[in-house]
Amino acid sequence: MDDPPPYNDSSEVYGLGPGTQDDVHSPTTLYVAGRFIHSTDPWAPPLYELSHSVGFLKDTDRSVRIERLDYSIKRRDGVAQLAARKRHIYDLKHPLLVTGPTFAYHAEPTSRQSLCAFGLEKFRPKKLSPTKGYRIRRATHSHDHQQLVRRDILFSAVPTKDKAVRYEWSDADGQLVAREVNGSNVMTLVVSAMMGTGERDALVSAWMSRVWAELAKKTDPFG
């Protein structure tokens, strides 16, 4: 499922990562710009690329490809050049409701480095509260591969009373790992926990699924 390695005619290649499941990443702030997800490091290239411009995702869209961008420095004739390798990590899915999907939005892993399949579901953090949060559940395919089966919780995204914070994201143990914040009409995720490549890929993909679900409500004539 992984993309083939890029052709390399340079004499030296130095990896910059992240490229393996075992890499551990420090806390960082991510933001969306069109089809790309960047860190706030002004000198860093984008970290992820989507097949669609995020701000224009609609209810009628059915599949969104998300790729992680791994970088290396190639030396060609003594000149250093930054080279990107795209690794297809997830296909985000929004199946038609008439098919009776387990999840309105889910993610299919497309790489051996992808953590797992998962689906997005709404829930009420407090029984009497009108506000709704999201649970991201691990999922496996049924025996006939026609449906996804709900498994344990991977992440939860809960709205907060703080006007500057849209959602707080926690892991399966309830530990805070990230916050979605409001600011200058830019979609921003402040990742506060150390995490491996696979976990961060899943968090970013779950974030994009949640954003898509919210944007789709605005374009769904029956929503």
Side-chain angles (χ1 to χ4, degrees), residues 64-207:
V64 176
R65 177 186 178 106
I66 182 166
E67 297 170 317
R68 187 179 71 241
L69 303 177
D70 295 335
Y71 294 92
S72 61
I73 294 177
K74 296 181 179 180
R75 288 198 173 276
R76 183 174 301 163
D77 299 327
V79 178
Q81 298 178 350
L82 187 65
R85 171 178 173 171
K86 296 182 180 181
R87 186 178 296 276
H88 184 193
I89 52 173
Y90 284 102
D91 282 330
L92 309 183
K93 299 289 188 178
H94 175 38
L96 289 166
L97 290 178
V98 295
T99 64
T102 306
F103 302 100
Y105 296 85
H106 71 271
E108 293 281 359
T110 55
S111 167
R112 289 187 297 272
Q113 293 187 13
S114 302
L115 193 63
C116 62
F118 59 81
L120 191 76
E121 63 181 19
K122 291 183 180 180
F123 79 108
R124 294 184 187 277
K126 297 180 180 179
K127 290 184 178 180
L128 300 179
S129 173
T131 61
K132 293 182 180 180
Y134 295 86
R135 287 194 183 104
I136 290 79
R137 288 189 175 274
R138 294 176 185 264
T140 56
H141 284 279
S142 59
H143 292 300
D144 58 7
H145 284 264
Q146 296 300 310
Q147 291 285 349
L148 288 173
V149 179
R150 288 182 177 86
R151 299 302 183 190
D152 55 320
I153 294 173
L154 181 62
F155 299 111
S156 296
V158 178
T160 74
K161 295 181 180 180
D162 186 344
K163 292 183 179 180
V165 180
R166 300 203 64 199
Y167 291 91
E168 288 188 337
W169 287 75
S170 56
D171 62 15
D173 297 321
Q175 298 298 311
L176 181 69
V177 295
R179 289 184 173 93
E180 280 186 64
V181 299
N182 293 318
S184 304
N185 296 319
V186 177
M187 301 174 197
T188 304
L189 185 72
V190 180
V191 181
S192 55
M194 303 279 288
M195 57 180 58
T197 298
E199 186 179 8
R200 192 178 75 169
D201 289 348
L203 176 65
V204 168
S205 300
W207 173 37

Side-chain angles (χ1 to χ4, degrees), residues 38-53:
H38 298 254
S39 74
T40 51
D41 181 347
W43 304 108
L47 300 177
Y48 297 91
E49 181 178 353
L50 285 78
S51 57
H52 295 55
S53 182

Side-chain angles (χ1 to χ4, degrees), residues 4-44:
Y7 175 73
N8 173 30
D9 63 351
S10 63
S11 57
E12 296 178 280
V13 178
Y14 302 90
L16 297 180
T20 69
Q21 188 83 6
D22 296 330
D23 288 338
V24 177
H25 305 284
S26 299
T28 189
T29 298
L30 306 174
Y31 70 93
V32 175
R35 294 190 299 111
F36 296 91
I37 297 174
H38 298 254
S39 74
T40 51
D41 181 347
W43 304 108

